[in-house]
Amino acid sequence: MGKLIKIIFSILFPIFLLNCHSNTPKELVVFDFESDSELDRIHWECHALFFLSDEHVTHGKRSLKMELYPSDYPGLTPIFKENDWRGFKALCFDIYNPEEKQVQVSVRVDDKKDYPEYKDRYNKRFILNQGMNQISIPLNTLVTSGKDRNLNLKNIYRLLIFTASPEKRVTLYLDYIRLT
């Protein structure tokens, strides 16, 4: 009987190990702003200009310089190649504020193709101090503002990083948007 258990264990244990190994990488770089082709994956709208820059880089050789002009919600809306965020723990990015005063940015995440109302999407404000700021948003905190439900991580359609009604031009440098 002991020999039979050893044989079964020697067959099933490797199968168990293979099934426990996740195919999800430890990190997925969503945007790194290393080439002009990444600029083609941004929704361009009035009151926001984007440039590749070699300043305030945290990963690779370039960052994204954002010039956000007075309007309602100027900012970045990237077009995703990967909508399934399951298997990751956090959305992270680095953002440099060259201003002497703090700047407030908002992050919005939608899990619906249509543009959901404020209460049916993730919304959070962050205060950026002068210099480099590292933002990390645990994916298990992606809850709709109405606190009704967790976002469906299998279907993330939209990420927005923006300022709300700036009174003057705001310049920020963004780099290394990733899922960890």
Side-chain angles (χ1 to χ4, degrees), residues 8-165:
I8 292 172
F9 181 78
S10 67
I11 293 170
L12 294 178
F13 187 71
I15 294 170
F16 173 76
L17 286 179
L18 286 174
N19 287 334
C20 288
H21 183 275
S22 173
N23 291 329
T24 304
K26 291 183 181 182
E27 178 178 274
L28 176 66
V29 177
V30 180
F31 277 89
D32 209 14
F33 308 110
E34 293 302 308
S35 69
D36 290 340
S37 65
E38 288 193 76
L39 296 176
D40 293 335
R41 294 179 41 222
I42 294 173
H43 287 286
W44 289 76
E45 296 181 15
C46 294
H47 308 291
L49 295 175
F50 307 106
F51 310 91
L52 294 180
S53 174
D54 59 0
E55 296 180 76
H56 311 296
V57 175
T58 58
H59 191 263
K61 295 181 180 179
R62 294 184 178 172
S63 65
L64 181 72
K65 180 180 181 179
M66 303 189 306
E67 291 184 1
L68 310 174
Y69 292 86
S71 61
D72 289 340
Y73 304 104
L76 175 76
T77 307
I79 300 168
F80 286 122
K81 288 182 179 178
E82 180 62 49
N83 297 87
D84 188 347
W85 291 11
R86 294 176 300 172
F88 295 99
K89 299 225 181 288
L91 168 66
C92 304
F93 58 89
D94 304 327
I95 190 163
Y96 183 87
N97 173 17
E99 303 289 327
E100 289 184 15
K101 65 178 190 168
Q102 294 178 328
V103 173
Q104 180 175 285
V105 297
S106 296
V107 174
R108 169 181 164 178
V109 181
D110 297 355
D111 65 345
K112 295 182 178 182
K113 282 187 181 181
D114 59 344
Y115 289 82
E117 294 180 34
Y118 183 86
K119 67 180 180 178
D120 199 25
R121 63 185 190 229
Y122 173 84
N123 304 281
K124 185 165 182 184
R125 293 185 183 119
F126 295 89
I127 301 297
L128 303 178
N129 293 314
Q130 182 181 25
M132 186 58 69
N133 296 264
Q134 295 179 329
I135 305 296
S136 179
I137 304 169
L139 296 185
N140 64 0
T141 67
L142 293 182
V143 177
T144 58
S145 293
K147 303 292 184 207
D148 296 332
R149 63 180 180 83
N150 291 324
L151 292 191
N152 180 355
L153 296 180
K154 183 179 178 182
N155 298 308
I156 300 299
Y157 291 104
R158 202 168 293 106
L159 166 69
L160 292 86
I161 301 170
F162 61 95
T163 58
S165 304

